[in-house]
Amino acid sequence: MAFVLSDNLKAFVNTSFLLLLCFFLTSHIRSPTTSFHVTSTQTAKPPGCAGLHKLKDHHSKCLYIKSHHPCLSQGYVNYLQLYYCLCGSHPPFGYVLLALWLLILFYLLGNTASQYFCSSVENLSRVLNLSPAIAGVTLLSLGNGSPDVLASIVSFRSGSGEVGLSSVLGGAFFVSCVVVGIINLSAGSSPRAAAVRIDRSSFIRDVCFFVVVLSSLFAILLVGRINIWGAMAFTSLYFVYVSIVSVTHFCGEKYEDLAMPILEKEELNDPVTSAKEAWPEGEEEEPQDSASSLMLNSTASQYLKCFLYLMDMPLYLPRRLTIPDVSEERWSRTYAVTSATLAPIFVAALWNSKRGSKESFTIYLYGGLVGIVLGLIALHTTMKESPPKKFLFPWLAGGFLMSVLWTYIIAEELVGLLVSLGFIFGVSPAILGLTVLAWGNSIGDLIANVAMATSGGQDGAQIAMSGCYAGPIFNTLAGLGLSLVVSAWAVHPDSFVIPVGSALFEILGFMIGGLLWALVMLPRKGMKLDKVVGVGLLVIYFCFLSLRLSQSLVLVQVV
């Protein structure tokens, strides 16, 4: 018994250390370019370019952007300057360019989380001997929710807190209503899932706790400000949830393993291998009219593979060279040694970025020395044939932390682009966070959970439904909770003024309504997935969406 307790304590300490280290790095690795120091007597005003749309021609707008600090993007690229100064005479070209970059950022955000982050946390949970229930509500939830969580932290630190609030709540609303609704519609019409019953106790536990979380957030937004202790208290609700799940697990309930959210896993190799899988060689084909047509087809295939390789390499190589990866399917000693060497230098570069530190050279020197030492250790402790079998924790922890940093950087750029698009189109960035950012981060949940519910049988439906509630609980408490902690800490001992809009109260009201609808109707249907439940949830979501869009188009005015 003592041995089991010591193992659990060790796993808890290691997990807590990793999560706290991630929090420290994402809180200090970059400093916001816009100040959001708000005292208890100030009113929160998001940074903006108030006079931009009063100007007519793109030349004057370009000069305005260059001379006004609030028009600077919190990311690495100044999108307003790119649009108005470089593409001002050809707006359609600017639209296409920004739209393509938006798609690329969504791809990078999801790919980094699935290929590197989720692989690290899955292996970490195995190395730390975490039970499925505990892993599901800690590391695996972080793996699923990392884009939302880090995007929220980025938004608050850059002074665009309303985008963070809207994206997290919009994603939670989408998953708890649209994804659950489609699961009920799909499973309700599937013969295989007709007899599937959801575990009543797990469902009631998750939904009721989610209602408590949203009610607490509603009270916080109603007050409009929060200090560091209130922010920490709100975040600590997640530990309460973890404790409830842990007690359920250790008491041996029937569905102890099924409280974990879906962990999306993509088995992706490097670009050359992926291209080979997409365009396999050596497949038998029907005889062609001549050998020349075969040669032409082979040549075209080779050119296409080279094109795909060259297109993917700029997106693939920087992450591959800085994120340690010891998974079996992607193992490469060359990449492993290189990532161990370059990762500290990359962290040093991020630490110095936008800080203007006088000690930047010293930080680079320390980063380089640490990188050389880690690279030499990696060179002498790894083999070319297979990844290391011993001392896996340092490798996995390094991959975990570096994937968090990459996700954070991409999320920062994505938020910066959305804020800039809000200025360009004259649309509130909060609306873009509620729709574009929330949908982009939640589409993976939709695909994975619906597929699991329709083809995974009893266990698959249970896992899918549990993931639709446990994931948003984590995103709300960890994403918004940590964002509020960081913001309140920056103005301590004063209170942080929360950027509250009417849309936030509306989304909370509609979301709680959707949860109560599912909580009432699913037990009445005998805990079977049913079309009535699904249609009701979809109606609730689209009613809210219609209301918000009509308000943004000034068709409806809410006082």
Side-chain angles (χ1 to χ4, degrees):
M1 181 65 179
F3 177 75
V4 174
L5 289 177
S6 64
D7 282 349
N8 290 333
L9 180 61
K10 181 180 179 181
F12 174 77
V13 171
N14 288 333
T15 304
S16 301
F17 171 75
L18 283 177
L19 296 178
L20 289 174
L21 187 57
C22 286
F23 173 69
F24 172 79
L25 287 176
T26 54
S27 300
H28 294 82
I29 202 72
R30 294 286 303 278
S31 60
T33 58
T34 54
S35 174
F36 57 90
H37 182 80
V38 182
T39 63
S40 58
T41 60
Q42 291 176 316
T43 302
K45 292 184 179 180
C49 305
L52 181 62
H53 289 286
K54 296 179 182 179
L55 305 175
K56 300 300 182 182
D57 59 292
H58 68 274
H59 291 291
S60 56
K61 290 182 178 181
C62 177
L63 293 176
Y64 182 89
I65 290 168
K66 291 181 178 179
S67 59
H68 285 71
H69 178 72
C71 294
L72 294 177
S73 170
Q74 61 262 37
Y76 289 93
V77 180
N78 191 331
Y79 297 103
L80 292 179
Q81 184 174 343
L82 175 66
Y83 177 77
Y84 287 110
C85 298
L86 297 182
C87 307
S89 57
H90 304 284
F93 177 73
Y95 295 148
V96 172
L97 190 64
L98 294 180
L100 288 176
W101 184 236
L102 181 65
L103 293 177
I104 291 174
L105 288 177
F106 272 124
Y107 164 76
L108 289 175
L109 193 64
N111 181 258
T112 303
S114 62
Q115 185 172 359
Y116 297 102
F117 194 94
C118 290
S119 175
S120 297
V121 297
E122 182 186 20
N123 291 320
L124 270 173
S125 65
R126 187 180 300 114
V127 170
L128 295 175
N129 294 321
L130 297 178
S131 67
I134 304 302
V137 296
T138 53
L139 292 178
L140 298 185
S141 290
L142 183 58
N144 256 356
S146 56
D148 295 299
V149 171
L150 294 176
S152 175
I153 294 175
V154 166
S155 300
F156 274 85
R157 295 194 68 235
S158 61
S160 305
E162 194 172 357
V163 177
L165 283 166
S166 299
S167 63
V168 171
L169 294 179
F173 192 21
F174 182 86
V175 172
S176 62
C177 272
V178 175
V179 177
V180 174
I182 294 177
I183 286 175
N184 277 270
L185 288 175
S186 303
S189 59
S190 173
R192 182 177 181 180
V196 169
R197 293 178 183 270
I198 303 301
D199 180 58
R200 182 185 294 268
S201 61
S202 298
F203 174 77
I204 293 176
R205 177 198 65 199
D206 293 341
V207 173
C208 289
F209 195 87
F210 198 15
V211 172
V212 171
V213 170
L214 295 179
S215 301
S216 302
L217 182 59
F218 187 90
I220 292 173
L221 296 180
L222 201 60
V223 174
R225 63 186 67 229
I226 192 171
N227 58 23
I228 184 64
W229 304 113
M232 294 176 66
F234 178 71
T235 308
S236 66
L237 284 177
Y238 189 70
F239 295 99
V240 176
Y241 178 64
V242 173
S243 301
I244 293 174
V245 176
S246 302
V247 169
T248 302
H249 170 74
F250 289 116
C251 288
E253 286 209 354
K254 184 178 180 180
Y255 292 107
E256 59 180 6
D257 299 345
L258 305 177
M260 68 170 64
I262 297 294
L263 172 65
E264 297 176 35
K265 297 189 298 181
E266 295 182 9
E267 297 181 355
L268 298 177
N269 302 317
D270 32 287
V272 177
T273 307
S274 300
K276 288 181 178 178
E277 291 177 354
W279 298 93
E281 298 178 1
E283 290 188 352
E284 294 185 1
E285 300 180 358
E286 293 294 328
Q288 301 293 323
D289 293 337
S290 64
S292 61
S293 61
L294 289 174
M295 294 179 60
L296 286 174
N297 290 336
S298 177
T299 304
S301 177
Q302 291 294 330
Y303 279 124
L304 182 58
K305 286 190 291 185
C306 291
F307 176 76
L308 293 175
Y309 176 82
L310 293 175
M311 290 294 292
D312 194 51
M313 186 55 66
L315 306 178
Y316 169 83
L317 197 58
R319 294 175 295 159
R320 192 70 170 96
L321 292 176
T322 53
I323 302 178
D325 190 351
V326 291
S327 57
E328 291 283 350
E329 63 273 13
R330 293 190 299 270
W331 168 250
S332 169
R333 190 189 186 198
T334 302
Y335 280 127
V337 174
T338 304
S339 62
T341 305
L342 295 182
I345 302 175
F346 182 62
V347 173
L350 291 178
W351 190 272
N352 287 327
S353 63
K354 296 188 179 182
R355 284 180 175 270
S357 174
K358 297 180 180 180
E359 301 178 350
S360 59
F361 177 76
T362 305
I363 295 175
Y364 277 119
L365 182 62
Y366 284 147
L369 291 175
V370 172
I372 292 173
V373 172
L374 293 180
L376 291 174
I377 294 175
L379 183 64
H380 287 85
T381 56
T382 57
M383 297 183 298
K384 183 178 181 180
E385 295 77 18
S386 61
K389 304 299 181 183
K390 297 181 179 180
F391 305 107
L392 270 179
F393 181 78
W395 283 102
L396 296 175
F400 178 85
L401 295 174
M402 292 307 299
S403 59
V404 166
L405 290 183
W406 269 105
T407 306
Y408 183 86
I409 293 169
I410 299 167
E412 184 178 43
E413 205 64 35
L414 183 58
V415 171
L417 176 56
L418 287 177
V419 173
S420 300
L421 289 175
F423 289 135
I424 292 173
F425 292 106
V427 178
S428 170
I431 298 295
L432 296 176
L434 179 64
T435 54
V436 178
L437 186 56
W439 294 342
N441 287 339
S442 303
I443 194 67
D445 294 313
L446 173 63
I447 296 172
N449 288 0
V450 171
M452 179 68 71
T454 55
S455 60
Q458 176 76 36
D459 289 352
Q462 180 65 43
I463 293 175
M465 289 292 288
S466 296
C468 288
Y469 295 113
I473 289 173
F474 174 84
N475 292 347
T476 303
L477 291 176
L480 295 183
L482 291 178
S483 300
L484 292 175
V485 169
V486 172
S487 302
W489 181 267
V491 298
H492 183 71
D494 295 321
S495 297
F496 172 70
V497 178
I498 305 173
V500 180
S502 60
L504 298 178
F505 293 104
E506 293 169 7
I507 192 172
L508 285 174
F510 275 93
M511 200 186 317
I512 292 175
L515 293 173
L516 294 178
W517 169 264
L519 186 62
V520 171
M521 293 303 298
L522 201 58
R524 291 187 63 180
K525 298 295 182 179
M527 301 308 297
K528 291 184 177 181
L529 300 177
D530 188 82
K531 292 182 179 180
V532 175
V533 180
V535 170
L537 291 173
L538 292 177
V539 168
I540 291 173
Y541 182 82
F542 285 109
C543 285
F544 165 78
L545 193 61
S546 300
L547 177 62
R548 285 307 307 156
L549 291 178
S550 62
Q551 290 173 3
S552 66
L553 296 174
V554 201
L555 296 178
V556 176
Q557 294 291 337
V558 177
V559 181

